[in-house]
Amino acid sequence: MKLSFKLATLYLAGLLSNCATLPDTRTATDDARAMELIERIQKALPGTYSNFAQINENGSDDPVTDLNIRQLSASGEPVFLFTSAERGADAERYDIYWLKLNPLTKKAEFHFARLTGAELSLSLQETLATAWQRVLPGCVIVLGANGEELRGYSRPDTCRFEDPYRGETRIYRMLALGANRLELETAVMVPGEQHNAGDGHLIMQKHRLYAGSASIGVDSDPATGEYVEWQELSGFSLFDDGRTVRLYGRNPLAMGFAAQLARLHRRAGEPPYLRLSIINETSGATQALQWIKPGSERIELNLEWLTIKLEIAPPGGASPPSPD
């Protein structure tokens, strides 16, 4: 009997010892999932965006908002700079977003703060230190995955501060990242005020840069009316963001026409198509347009008097062209 009791005691002690040395697989799995989420964001988030399609589809007179996102730090915790502006305006807004792993909740989180242009001229270390001092405790966007979409928001009950003129002020900020799509919403709420300030709800498409070439007919056969002599135009580049790019000859002289490429929805629920338009700069009228299937990397427009060819530009191409 005593031998059996000793064997049982030793067996139980062995079990407890094994349990104590087993790794916490749940914590390891949570860490791995959060890091996978952070890596997805690092790959998908940087780029050029606008809400041109949203403005176009709503028939709104509001200006288009353009947004450029780039990652500032190559090592350590990812830090992103959001540079936004209303199209046609000079004033830009700068927001810093830190992407962090919360060690307690094992969730990926964005911490955010706004900077001035002068502060961005400092060294990267000084810029980040200045921005981090402005991060409000409780102003955190907690991110989660829902299929292919990543979505998160800050809570107004924790993201709040005391404004010297307006009193208690709360901030709601939402960010959703999908396939070539970004949603941003900001609301600044003051108890007792009916209308919230903020940037509203922006539904933004991620844009791609195309390199273009074109030729225009300059001499036609009197008998057939067909062009027999063509002039090659200067090369150009344009994003599929609805901006217009003026076409120039080799002289260089403006040809009186501009090209516009935009990502727009033809039907509700379908992915956005590409629409290439040729615009008469004198009248503002659309001379020709063509719809192209989503994701096309090569585009051709062949008219009787004009041909245009577009091809996806290599990574690290030019900045968005300024409208003429």
Side-chain angles (χ1 to χ4, degrees), residues 71-213:
Q71 186 171 337
L72 294 181
S73 62
S75 60
E77 294 175 332
V79 182
F80 301 92
L81 174 64
F82 286 45
T83 303
S84 60
E86 293 181 352
R87 189 166 294 180
D90 294 329
E92 292 183 326
R93 296 185 298 272
Y94 308 99
D95 292 283
I96 295 286
Y97 282 76
W98 280 267
L99 185 55
K100 294 176 175 283
L101 172 63
N102 187 313
L104 298 178
T105 64
K106 306 302 178 184
K107 298 283 187 180
E109 299 177 342
F110 267 128
H111 301 252
F112 53 90
R114 180 154 290 185
L115 284 177
T116 66
E119 289 165 338
L120 282 173
S121 65
L122 303 173
S123 69
L124 178 59
Q125 185 176 0
E126 290 175 308
T127 296
L128 296 182
T130 300
W132 186 249
Q133 291 174 0
R134 296 209 183 118
V135 172
L136 297 171
C139 289
V140 177
I141 299 174
V142 182
L143 297 164
N146 182 13
E148 294 300 314
E149 183 185 68
L150 306 175
R151 181 178 290 266
Y153 58 89
S154 65
R155 294 175 48 184
D157 58 330
T158 62
C159 186
R160 56 188 182 181
F161 64 96
E162 193 71 20
D163 186 279
Y165 300 102
R166 304 169 73 186
E168 183 182 87
T169 303
R170 303 184 180 192
I171 298 176
Y172 168 82
R173 184 165 293 187
M174 183 275 293
L175 184 150
L177 180 63
N180 298 314
R181 187 174 185 271
L182 177 68
E183 284 186 59
L184 291 171
E185 184 176 8
T186 301
V188 180
M189 296 169 280
V190 177
E193 293 188 7
Q194 292 183 341
H195 302 288
N196 299 326
D199 299 329
H201 186 187
L202 301 175
I203 302 175
M204 314 190 87
Q205 303 287 346
K206 189 175 186 179
H207 298 299
R208 299 195 295 178
L209 179 68
Y210 287 78
S213 62

Side-chain angles (χ1 to χ4, degrees), residues 18-316:
N18 287 336
C19 289
T21 58
L22 284 176
D24 188 345
T25 56
R26 185 187 63 179
T27 300
T29 302
D30 290 343
D31 281 348
R33 286 175 180 169
M35 292 309 299
E36 181 182 351
L37 192 65
I38 288 174
E39 289 176 4
R40 282 177 60 186
I41 295 170
Q42 283 184 273
K43 292 178 181 178
L45 187 59
T48 300
Y49 299 81
S50 84
N51 70 331
F52 180 85
Q54 179 187 25
I55 295 294
N56 184 275
E57 290 158 18
N58 292 344
S60 171
D61 294 330
D62 292 338
V64 173
T65 298
D66 292 303
L67 172 67
N68 180 267
I69 301 175
R70 62 187 178 95
Q71 186 171 337
L72 294 181
S73 62
S75 60
E77 294 175 332
V79 182
F80 301 92
L81 174 64
F82 286 45
T83 303
S84 60
E86 293 181 352
R87 189 166 294 180
D90 294 329
E92 292 183 326
R93 296 185 298 272
Y94 308 99
D95 292 283
I96 295 286
Y97 282 76
W98 280 267
L99 185 55
K100 294 176 175 283
L101 172 63
N102 187 313
L104 298 178
T105 64
K106 306 302 178 184
K107 298 283 187 180
E109 299 177 342
F110 267 128
H111 301 252
F112 53 90
R114 180 154 290 185
L115 284 177
T116 66
E119 289 165 338
L120 282 173
S121 65
L122 303 173
S123 69
L124 178 59
Q125 185 176 0
E126 290 175 308
T127 296
L128 296 182
T130 300
W132 186 249
Q133 291 174 0
R134 296 209 183 118
V135 172
L136 297 171
C139 289
V140 177
I141 299 174
V142 182
L143 297 164
N146 182 13
E148 294 300 314
E149 183 185 68
L150 306 175
R151 181 178 290 266
Y153 58 89
S154 65
R155 294 175 48 184
D157 58 330
T158 62
C159 186
R160 56 188 182 181
F161 64 96
E162 193 71 20
D163 186 279
Y165 300 102
R166 304 169 73 186
E168 183 182 87
T169 303
R170 303 184 180 192
I171 298 176
Y172 168 82
R173 184 165 293 187
M174 183 275 293
L175 184 150
L177 180 63
N180 298 314
R181 187 174 185 271
L182 177 68
E183 284 186 59
L184 291 171
E185 184 176 8
T186 301
V188 180
M189 296 169 280
V190 177
E193 293 188 7
Q194 292 183 341
H195 302 288
N196 299 326
D199 299 329
H201 186 187
L202 301 175
I203 302 175
M204 314 190 87
Q205 303 287 346
K206 189 175 186 179
H207 298 299
R208 299 195 295 178
L209 179 68
Y210 287 78
S213 62
S215 297
I216 193 167
V218 293
D219 193 13
S220 60
D221 185 332
T224 63
E226 294 182 358
Y227 282 100
V228 293
E229 185 179 343
W230 292 77
Q231 177 186 343
E232 186 177 352
L233 305 185
S234 297
F236 59 94
S237 62
L238 77 168
F239 278 84
D240 55 0
D241 63 356
R243 296 175 188 262
T244 58
V245 175
R246 180 174 291 171
L247 300 180
Y248 289 93
R250 293 287 184 181
N251 310 31
L253 291 175
M255 305 306 296
F257 298 96
Q260 181 194 56
L261 188 63
R263 295 181 69 222
L264 298 169
H265 290 91
R266 297 187 71 180
R267 300 179 185 87
E270 289 187 354
Y273 279 66
L274 291 167
R275 188 188 72 184
L276 176 61
S277 305
I278 305 301
I279 299 170
N280 186 309
E281 291 193 295
T282 302
S283 65
T286 299
Q287 296 290 118
L289 67 83
Q290 178 173 307
W291 289 96
I292 304 101
K293 66 180 181 180
S296 297
E297 297 192 351
R298 292 180 177 84
I299 299 170
E300 288 192 20
L301 175 66
N302 295 300
L303 305 174
E304 293 180 355
W305 55 279
L306 178 71
T307 65
I308 287 184
K309 295 181 180 180
L310 302 175
E311 190 168 345
I312 284 290

